[in-house]
Amino acid sequence: MSLDLSAIQGFAGNRLDRRGNDREDPALQARWRAAPDALHALFAGDQPLLKVQGDGLAGLLPAASAGGGGRESVFLGLMPDGRPVFATARDELPQGTAETEDGLVVGDLRALAAEGRLGEDVLGALAQAKSLLSWHRNHRFCARCGAETAQSPAGWRRDCAACGAQHFPRTDPVVIMLVRRGDACFLARQARFAPGVYSCLAGFVEPGETLEDAVRREVMEEAGLASGAVAYLCSQPWPFPSSLMIGCVADAAGGEVTLDLGELEDGRWFTRDEVALMLRGGHPAGLRAPPPLAIAHHLLRAFAEGRA
Amino acid sequence: MSLDLSAIQGFAGNRLDRRGNDREDPALQARWRAAPDALHALFAGDQPLLKVQGDGLAGLLPAASAGGGGRESVFLGLMPDGRPVFATARDELPQGTAETEDGLVVGDLRALAAEGRLGEDVLGALAQAKSLLSWHRNHRFCARCGAETAQSPAGWRRDCAACGAQHFPRTDPVVIMLVRRGDACFLARQARFAPGVYSCLAGFVEPGETLEDAVRREVMEEAGLASGAVAYLCSQPWPFPSSLMIGCVADAAGGEVTLDLGELEDGRWFTRDEVALMLRGGHPAGLRAPPPLAIAHHLLRAFAEGRA
């Protein structure tokens, strides 16, 4: 199934058939919702709730675990075997809670993805769930008129009865780019990064620009470098809270680096060989690439292996 | 400057230096706002206001035309000559108004782009302005708590004093794809299209999917066709209200077409030669490609010319 570099990114393994055309069919939605074999991706706030099963973890749970409701629930799609899957919000838990009263483990989606105890398909469904539930939780009111809104039957829209506005889930495109010049690439680190980690520059696409312009603007803003050609490489859903990471390669023109010190604490050029050492944990100064969960890891791997 | 196929798309000619790092500098923002040579992209609702100048139209106007204010105003960036440019909302006008009391012409951004009376750089700035002002107009309240929000000094954020939420402008990624099989591509029409126009399939990217998955999902939903490889071609800002069009080429597998008749009124395979006739207005049945303002036009041109 690995048709492209996007398919191997973290959170990209979602195999649900979203059945988008059936979201406006209330009878079908009700039938799926009542199905005895329906599954739920449960969240308390931004934290997934999981069940320990032998050595493993179950991330999609039966309706009995979903709780009474009253909170949002979104139809995510059908499993390959036809079972309907929902994202369902339970009440938020006090900070630091490790286990719910009914014995579910409180997880962290990033840690779960790094650990590898859940299948890629389940991680993908949890990512979809997290983004949608986070959107609902932060959009209970109408941004146009301030009234309370209500979710549509399938949960892919919120409607305002007061002013008639319809609100749809939001996905924020972000460009992340390998900035290349000859045999070197430019990497930088933010103060919040783990020690020794250097990564690609990135930033949100803004209204009124192409992907390529967004890449060139960000490279200029963060490193003071002009860019020429920009090529798309791969993309990744990033549910923190709801980004679409768009991985590109940018050819930087000559000139000196001017770091945006408001955002970055360091940045410099790295050779292909140095990047290869960072990827396999053998850099003499202990510098490291981001983990495989991050699309930057795969941009750097493509560079180190001469594929970008 | 035509570094890529994205650079020749409609609304892609924006040359403003956005100075994103200076948006949080209130003193600099105030200075630019008070600059005697500042320019304004003025809108009444979704309609740009323009000044007739000889045979042409001016789309960026001096502060005197901006009106008293009270409505939103966003810092768009600096012109190549350093003049600051703002997007500024004036009061909405009664339906059908053709000219304001102070002699400005009420325009339509799509028609202006098609007419070619404004430069590509001005059209790009107006597109940026329209998306941002539309976002402000529809986000005067906090989606999290329902309270009124206020714009930040540069207008790139809205802050909620009641709950502390910060809200940022939204850009909606849309995939639009040339679906290809051998020497033919699949095109369809919606009932709202101009007579005879057939175009590419398209749809919003959803939370939790890669670009490639979004393309494959949309092609399956709208035409019932499975897709293999997906390649990125070009992108376009589309300010209706604030989309990022991401143009791709998808290789469709075999199988019969099943049209989504809820969305499409017709769809079929077109040969390369037929697409070439549609592009130059010589199709025997009068069928036509979308106009050059649409990214679909350029996807179809690439296909007809064997570049995709």
Side-chain angles (χ1 to χ4, degrees):
Chain A
M1 247 314 264
S2 189
L3 291 162
D4 44 58
L5 192 53
S6 298
I8 63 159
Q9 303 300 319
F11 305 117
N14 200 337
R15 291 170 62 210
L16 296 179
D17 177 1
R18 295 178 177 225
R19 297 291 287 264
N21 293 344
D22 295 323
R23 288 176 192 154
E24 300 304 312
D25 183 337
L28 190 53
Q29 287 297 322
R31 184 146 60 81
W32 281 335
R33 200 163 281 276
D37 60 354
L39 295 170
H40 293 258
L42 296 176
F43 279 78
D46 274 334
Q47 299 179 296
L49 303 179
L50 308 125
K51 195 166 202 159
V52 178
Q53 286 186 331
D55 288 346
L57 279 176
L60 300 176
L61 303 175
S65 299
R71 292 284 170 192
E72 295 82 7
S73 185
V74 182
F75 170 65
L76 296 183
L78 301 181
M79 296 279 276
D81 66 7
R83 280 177 296 173
V85 180
F86 295 86
T88 301
R90 294 206 343 185
D91 290 334
E92 297 196 36
L93 298 164
Q95 187 101 31
T97 305
E99 196 176 320
T100 65
E101 286 181 6
D102 52 340
L104 301 180
V105 176
V106 179
D108 172 272
L109 192 52
R110 216 181 290 227
L112 287 166
E115 285 165 16
R117 292 171 73 197
L118 290 171
E120 290 299 325
D121 53 342
V122 174
L123 283 170
L126 292 182
Q128 181 189 359
K130 181 175 177 301
S131 288
L132 286 161
L133 293 177
S134 160
W135 176 75
H136 276 292
R137 200 167 63 251
N138 290 303
H139 291 77
R140 293 197 178 124
F141 295 84
C142 177
R144 199 164 79 178
C145 80
E148 270 195 76
T149 55
Q151 77 156 61
S152 65
W156 284 83
R157 206 180 64 225
R158 293 190 72 90
D159 298 329
C160 178
C163 78
Q166 296 188 323
H167 302 279
F168 295 91
R170 159 173 185 151
T171 300
D172 297 311
V174 173
V175 283
I176 178 163
M177 43 276 173
L178 185 90
V179 178
R180 187 174 61 176
R181 190 196 284 163
D183 201 44
C185 72
F186 184 82
L187 303 176
R189 57 174 280 112
Q190 299 177 21
R192 64 175 182 83
F193 284 7
V197 171
Y198 280 72
S199 188
C200 297
L201 302 178
F204 288 101
V205 179
E206 294 188 351
E209 64 187 358
T210 65
L211 283 182
E212 291 80 0
D213 283 344
V215 167
R216 293 188 194 108
R217 176 183 52 73
E218 285 288 346
V219 177
M220 178 55 76
E221 279 180 13
E222 298 192 0
L225 294 167
S227 301
V230 173
Y232 168 81
L233 208 63
C234 56
S235 58
Q236 176 190 33
W238 189 246
F240 307 100
S242 193
S243 290
L244 168 68
M245 306 299 291
I246 302 173
C248 297
V249 179
D251 286 325
E256 285 300 304
V257 168
T258 309
L259 271 192
D260 172 12
L261 293 172
E263 191 150 338
L264 305 169
E265 67 168 25
D266 191 30
R268 65 169 174 88
W269 294 97
F270 291 77
T271 65
R272 240 177 254 273
D273 292 341
E274 203 175 358
V275 171
L277 288 172
M278 291 164 75
L279 282 164
R280 63 169 185 263
H283 190 280
L287 303 186
R288 293 182 297 140
L293 178 61
I295 189 172
H297 178 96
H298 301 277
L299 297 178
L300 287 173
R301 187 168 291 283
F303 180 69
E305 295 173 359
R307 292 179 284 113
Chain B
M1 246 317 262
S2 190
L3 292 163
D4 45 57
L5 191 53
S6 298
I8 63 160
Q9 303 299 320
F11 305 118
N14 200 337
R15 289 170 62 209
L16 297 179
D17 177 0
R18 295 178 177 223
R19 297 292 287 264
N21 293 344
D22 295 323
R23 288 177 191 153
E24 302 303 313
D25 183 336
L28 190 53
Q29 288 295 324
R31 184 147 58 83
W32 280 337
R33 200 164 282 278
D37 60 353
L39 294 171
H40 293 257
L42 296 175
F43 280 76
D46 274 334
Q47 300 179 295
L49 303 178
L50 308 125
K51 194 165 203 161
V52 177
Q53 286 187 332
D55 289 346
L57 279 176
L60 300 176
L61 303 175
S65 298
R71 292 285 170 190
E72 294 81 6
S73 186
V74 183
F75 171 66
L76 296 183
L78 300 181
M79 296 279 275
D81 65 8
R83 279 178 296 173
V85 181
F86 296 86
T88 301
R90 294 211 338 189
D91 290 334
E92 296 197 34
L93 297 164
Q95 188 100 30
T97 305
E99 197 176 318
T100 65
E101 285 181 8
D102 53 339
L104 301 180
V105 176
V106 179
D108 172 272
L109 192 53
R110 215 181 292 230
L112 286 166
E115 286 166 15
R117 291 171 75 195
L118 291 172
E120 291 299 325
D121 54 341
V122 174
L123 283 169
L126 293 181
Q128 182 189 359
K130 181 175 177 300
S131 288
L132 286 161
L133 293 177
S134 160
W135 176 75
H136 276 291
R137 202 167 62 250
N138 291 303
H139 292 77
R140 292 194 179 127
F141 295 84
C142 177
R144 198 163 81 178
C145 80
E148 270 194 78
T149 56
Q151 77 155 61
S152 64
W156 284 83
R157 204 179 67 225
R158 294 189 71 90
D159 297 330
C160 178
C163 78
Q166 295 189 324
H167 301 280
F168 294 91
R170 163 172 182 151
T171 300
D172 297 311
V174 173
V175 283
I176 178 163
M177 43 274 174
L178 185 90
V179 179
R180 186 174 62 175
R181 189 197 284 162
D183 201 44
C185 72
F186 184 81
L187 303 176
R189 57 173 280 112
Q190 299 177 21
R192 65 175 182 82
F193 284 7
V197 171
Y198 280 72
S199 188
C200 297
L201 301 178
F204 289 101
V205 179
E206 294 188 351
E209 64 187 359
T210 65
L211 282 182
E212 291 80 1
D213 284 344
V215 167
R216 293 187 194 108
R217 176 182 54 73
E218 285 288 345
V219 176
M220 178 55 75
E221 279 180 13
E222 298 191 0
L225 294 167
S227 302
V230 173
Y232 168 80
L233 209 63
C234 56
S235 59
Q236 176 190 32
W238 189 246
F240 306 102
S242 192
S243 292
L244 169 68
M245 306 299 293
I246 302 174
C248 296
V249 179
D251 286 325
E256 286 300 303
V257 168
T258 308
L259 270 193
D260 172 11
L261 293 171
E263 191 150 338
L264 305 169
E265 66 168 25
D266 192 30
R268 66 169 175 85
W269 295 97
F270 290 77
T271 65
R272 239 176 254 273
D273 291 344
E274 204 175 357
V275 171
L277 288 171
M278 289 165 76
L279 282 164
R280 62 169 184 262
H283 190 280
L287 302 187
R288 291 182 297 143
L293 178 60
I295 189 172
H297 178 96
H298 301 277
L299 298 178
L300 287 173
R301 187 168 291 281
F303 180 68
E305 296 173 359
R307 291 180 284 114

